[in-house]
């Protein structure tokens, strides 16, 4: 049983260290974007997809990069990427393309000095272990980058709550946007 509490305590430490101002700024960027596309790789990509789904439930124009229905991005649009360890070549390439076409870029990362974060217009730091720093004496009880990915899930759901309030979206409004094809 203590293993569960060890993991929860580690998540708690992450959220004790998260700064509210960048979270609120990210929420505002999402709230004011015309369209939002999201991208992440691996397990980070799974969290990004869950976030995109929730943005869709809010009634926002949100899509996942790589899906056939992802629209082109330009002025007034937002690209949200995840690069927990600081850099992924695909993240940097997509940010360069979106930025070059006039879109705003937001990078979620644990490494604010990483190449992908330095390239972004806006950075949201989740101070959690990723695979970039998963060895040594101060490692998480969770494997590899799981602390970061679990933190993403909790943070993204809290951001949805903030967006729900900011946009005046009710739980019933969100339910109406949930698929009926399950």
């Amino acid at each position: 049983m203590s293993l569960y509490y060890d993991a929860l305590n580690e998540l708690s430490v992450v959220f004790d260290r998260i700064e509210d101002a960048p979270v609120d700024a990210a929420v505002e960027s999402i709230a004011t974007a015309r369209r939002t596309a999201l991208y992440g790789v691996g397990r980070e990509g799974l969290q990004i997809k869950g976030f995109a789904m929730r943005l869709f439930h809010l009634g926002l124009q949100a899509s996942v990069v790589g899906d056939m229905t992802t629209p082109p991005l330009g002025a007034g649009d937002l690209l949200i990427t995840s690069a927990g360890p600081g850099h992924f070549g695909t993240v940097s390439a997509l940010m360069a393309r979106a930025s070059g076409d006039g879109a705003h870029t937001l990078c979620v990362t644990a490494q604010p000095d990483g190449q992908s974060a330095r390239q972004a217009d806006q950075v949201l730091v989740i101070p959690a272990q990723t695979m970039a720093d998963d060895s040594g004496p101060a490692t998480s009880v969770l494997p590899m980058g799981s602390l970061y990915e679990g933190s993403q899930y909790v943070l993204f759901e809290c951001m949805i709550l903030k967006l729900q309030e900011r946009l005046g979206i009710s739980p019933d409004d969100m339910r109406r946007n949930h698929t009926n094809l399950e």
Side-chain angles (χ1 to χ4, degrees):
M1 189 70 145
S2 72
L3 185 59
Y4 303 120
Y5 289 105
D6 290 345
L8 288 173
N9 286 334
E10 287 182 355
L11 284 166
S12 179
V13 169
V14 169
F15 285 97
D16 284 343
R17 296 174 47 210
I18 284 185
E19 296 180 24
D20 287 330
V23 174
D24 292 339
V27 165
E28 189 61 23
S29 291
I30 295 166
T32 58
R34 180 177 61 144
R35 293 185 293 219
T36 301
L38 299 94
Y39 180 78
V41 301
R43 290 169 46 101
E44 293 179 39
L46 296 174
Q47 299 307 322
I48 283 286
K49 287 179 180 181
F51 191 34
M53 177 186 278
R54 285 286 187 243
L55 294 174
F56 177 81
H57 290 156
L58 287 173
L60 300 176
Q61 290 191 37
S63 58
V64 175
V65 173
D67 287 351
M68 293 185 335
T69 56
T70 303
L73 296 186
D77 296 330
L78 173 65
L79 174 65
I80 300 174
T81 61
S82 179
H87 174 71
F88 293 114
T90 51
V91 166
S92 288
L94 290 168
M95 283 197 308
R97 177 59 193 251
S99 184
D101 287 340
H104 186 76
T105 58
L106 166 63
C107 181
V108 181
T109 185
Q111 305 290 333
D113 296 325
Q115 181 179 339
S116 295
R118 289 191 316 267
Q119 184 180 352
D121 296 314
Q122 190 172 356
V123 177
L124 178 54
V125 177
I126 300 175
Q129 175 183 299
T130 68
M131 285 187 62
D133 51 11
D134 70 342
S135 59
T139 60
S140 172
V141 298
L142 299 171
M144 301 187 297
S146 293
L147 183 59
Y148 176 79
E149 297 145 5
S151 298
Q152 280 185 304
Y153 172 75
V154 174
L155 177 62
F156 291 162
E157 290 297 300
C158 290
M159 290 172 69
I160 292 299
L161 293 173
K162 288 174 177 264
L163 281 160
Q164 193 176 1
E165 181 179 335
R166 162 72 171 73
L167 299 171
I169 306 292
S170 73
D172 287 337
D173 293 334
M174 289 181 71
R175 279 189 205 91
R176 279 190 283 281
N177 287 326
H178 192 281
T179 186
N180 63 350
L181 301 176
E182 291 185 320

